[in-house]
Amino acid sequence: GLSVIAIPGWRLIVRFIAPSPARGRTSLFGRRTLIVGVERSGQDILKKLRMHVGGGYSVVGFIDVNRMRIGEKVMETEILGSIDTIGKVVLEHRISEVIFSSDAVPYSTILRIIAANKNRFVNYRLVPNNLEVIIGKPGIDQLDEIPLIDIEYNIAKTGNRIIKRLADLAVGLFFLICIGPFVYFI
């Protein structure tokens, strides 16, 4: 019983006391941010973020759709990688926010990137194009006239993780009770 409480207990205490890694990874000027999309829409996002100095974003670089322009600078901001290497760039530069331009990357690619990088504690946001309407989405921030939509992966939600942990403990306790006596006699 003590191990059931002690092993996950310290993690729960740290989680409630300390901020989450994605929220906590900030530079002196804001959350370290990548913009996915180098073309006009990505450059517009960069301009808006630079105009909002106190907005909490520190743009580290761009992610391009292919590897041909890695290392080049666009609007004095370096292209750090491509869609294929986004996970590596997030780790190397300690990124906490990734903003997608829907004009640059199709939705299927955005979902694939999020699924592949779900364990990296990164907040994903999407800037929809002007023709899209989002109904009932509570996580929309406004950056001048550009809406930033939060993209959440359901597995990372605290409630879902608690339910999964409780199910794991229940199944483990069941097997411990069923198999424990046999192990004792052997």
Side-chain angles (χ1 to χ4, degrees):
L2 181 62
S3 66
V4 169
I5 295 170
I7 292 174
W10 70 271
R11 291 181 183 159
L12 292 173
I13 292 170
V14 169
R15 181 165 302 239
F16 287 120
I17 292 173
S20 72
R23 302 268 185 235
R25 279 191 271 176
T26 61
S27 70
L28 182 61
F29 302 106
R31 293 182 298 270
R32 299 178 61 79
T33 305
L34 276 179
I35 298 174
V36 179
V38 180
E39 303 307 324
R40 181 171 162 74
S41 60
Q43 293 174 18
D44 288 343
I45 295 168
L46 179 62
K47 287 178 193 174
K48 297 296 181 185
L49 291 175
R50 284 183 176 167
M51 286 179 15
H52 271 73
V53 178
Y57 296 97
S58 173
V59 178
V60 176
F62 282 109
I63 294 292
D64 200 0
V65 292
N66 56 40
R67 297 180 182 191
M68 294 186 334
R69 296 178 59 188
I70 294 176
E72 291 182 19
K73 288 196 173 192
V74 175
M75 297 178 60
E76 302 173 8
T77 303
E78 187 176 357
I79 300 172
L80 299 174
S82 68
I83 300 272
D84 302 332
T85 62
I86 193 168
K88 181 180 172 186
V89 173
V90 165
L91 286 176
E92 286 178 359
H93 295 278
R94 298 181 331 272
I95 301 299
S96 61
E97 298 276 333
V98 176
I99 300 176
F100 292 99
S101 169
S102 63
D103 295 341
V105 183
Y107 294 120
S108 60
T109 304
I110 292 172
L111 293 175
R112 182 178 51 82
I113 290 170
I114 292 171
N117 296 296
K118 65 184 172 201
N119 295 329
R120 296 217 166 90
F121 300 109
V122 177
N123 296 324
Y124 296 99
R125 294 176 168 246
L126 172 69
V127 177
N129 63 30
N130 294 334
L131 300 177
E132 295 169 336
V133 176
I134 305 296
I135 299 173
K137 179 68 179 157
I140 298 178
D141 291 338
Q142 199 70 19
L143 182 65
D144 283 345
E145 68 273 356
I146 297 178
L148 291 175
I149 301 170
D150 283 331
I151 303 173
E152 290 187 30
Y153 207 61
N154 286 336
I155 295 172
K157 289 184 178 179
T158 305
N160 293 346
R161 294 182 75 177
I162 290 172
I163 291 170
K164 183 191 179 309
R165 181 66 182 162
L166 290 174
D168 290 344
L169 289 173
V171 170
L173 186 62
F174 172 76
F175 282 116
L176 185 62
I177 291 170
C178 292
I179 299 173
F182 296 112
V183 172
Y184 178 74
F185 289 119
I186 292 175

